[in-house]
Amino acid sequence: AEQLNQLQIKPQAIVLEPVGRNTAPAATIAALMLLKKDPKALILLLPSDHIIENQVGFQNAISVGAEAALGGYFVTFGIEPEEANTGYGYIHRSTPIQHLTECYSVRKFVEKPDLSMAEYYVSTGTHYWNSGIFLFSAKSMLAELVEREPNIVSNCDAAINHAKMDLDFIRLDENNFSKNPSKSIDYAIIEHTDRAAVIPVEIGWNDIGSWDSLWKTGKKDCLLYTSDAADE
């Protein structure tokens, strides 16, 4: 709230979860709240701890993705792989979606592979790192969720109806929200829907999930000398 205030941005809402229940309930809360104001609302779901260095490239990809999302697709952003990394899940693209630039239907989502399989994925040119960033319409998401996980929708709706305002925040009702299973939107919807789409991007993305990732993206302010260099 303080950071937004410093940027002179007034958000529609800052919603606080009383307990963690992964991304499916969180996205459901957003969808329910947004649909009360705009039946065509889109949701861009982003992890908070990722780095995107090419912001213009990302904005351009979002513009393409928004068109797909308005058409009922659940859009993912696939990162062009730089190496055979075993720390990421992969997205296997299928055929291009008509009338949408560089947007493909998803053939399959793949869990984190071993090294040999990761090397194969990179060699195909049709596999991307799964960034965990999704873009979809609130209406489409709730329609899928009502079919697959109706209890999440009803629990989240009750949590909103019994929420309380607290200064800059909306505090969801704990009794109702805690009834939700801890389930990601990947497992609840994205990996099961036949409307999943992927947009390949090169946007300077990193999820900072390891010390190696932090080293690659961080600014260096020191020199490292080996014992041999010190002797010289």
Side-chain angles (χ1 to χ4, degrees):
E2 181 58 31
Q3 288 175 333
L4 289 172
N5 184 55
Q6 291 173 3
L7 294 170
Q8 298 182 338
I9 295 174
K10 185 173 178 60
Q12 290 189 32
I14 301 176
V15 184
L16 303 184
E17 298 172 299
V19 292
R21 287 294 183 266
N22 216 312
T23 52
T28 303
I29 292 290
L32 289 167
M33 294 180 67
L34 287 171
L35 281 178
K36 292 179 180 180
K37 298 184 177 182
D38 181 3
K40 295 183 179 180
L42 299 182
I43 295 175
L44 180 64
L45 184 67
L46 309 100
S48 62
D49 56 351
H50 290 189
I51 284 178
I52 295 174
E53 296 177 346
N54 182 358
Q55 296 182 24
V56 173
F58 185 44
Q59 290 167 351
N60 292 337
I62 290 172
S63 296
V64 176
E67 185 179 355
L70 287 171
Y73 286 96
F74 291 81
V75 181
T76 66
F77 296 89
I79 308 300
E80 297 277 3
E82 300 173 356
E83 60 186 1
N85 196 306
T86 60
Y88 301 140
Y90 285 73
I91 302 170
H92 185 189
R93 84 178 192 205
S94 184
T95 55
I97 298 175
Q98 291 185 349
H99 311 303
L100 293 173
T101 305
E102 285 297 303
C103 188
Y104 303 84
S105 59
V106 173
R107 184 182 301 277
K108 185 179 181 181
F109 290 90
V110 186
E111 297 293 338
K112 297 177 182 179
D114 59 27
L115 181 58
S116 61
M117 189 58 70
E119 289 173 342
Y120 167 72
Y121 291 157
V122 173
S123 70
T124 65
T126 59
H127 289 74
Y128 309 101
W129 292 340
N130 188 348
S131 67
I133 301 173
F134 302 104
L135 177 61
F136 47 85
S137 82
K139 183 177 180 180
S140 296
M141 184 223 164
L142 287 179
E144 289 267 357
L145 209 58
V146 165
E147 179 181 342
R148 303 179 190 281
E149 298 282 350
N151 288 339
I152 292 180
V153 179
S154 59
N155 291 334
C156 287
D157 191 44
I160 293 172
N161 291 334
H162 293 87
K164 296 180 180 179
M165 288 298 302
D166 180 9
L167 299 176
D168 296 314
F169 312 109
I170 297 175
R171 293 185 179 274
L172 298 173
D173 178 67
E174 182 173 1
N175 180 53
N176 287 288
F177 191 78
S178 62
K179 294 177 182 177
N180 287 311
S182 181
K183 183 167 288 191
S184 71
I185 194 169
D186 309 56
Y187 289 118
I189 297 178
I190 306 295
E191 295 186 7
H192 303 290
T193 181
D194 59 0
R195 302 285 288 177
V198 59
I199 296 176
V201 293
E202 294 182 83
I203 53 176
W205 171 91
N206 203 303
D207 76 342
I208 318 300
S210 66
W211 288 114
D212 183 58
S213 298
L214 186 61
W215 171 257
K216 288 180 180 178
T217 59
K219 294 181 179 180
K220 286 75 174 176
D221 59 0
C222 65
L223 296 175
L224 180 64
Y225 290 95
T226 64
S227 58
D228 290 340
D231 292 339
E232 292 175 1

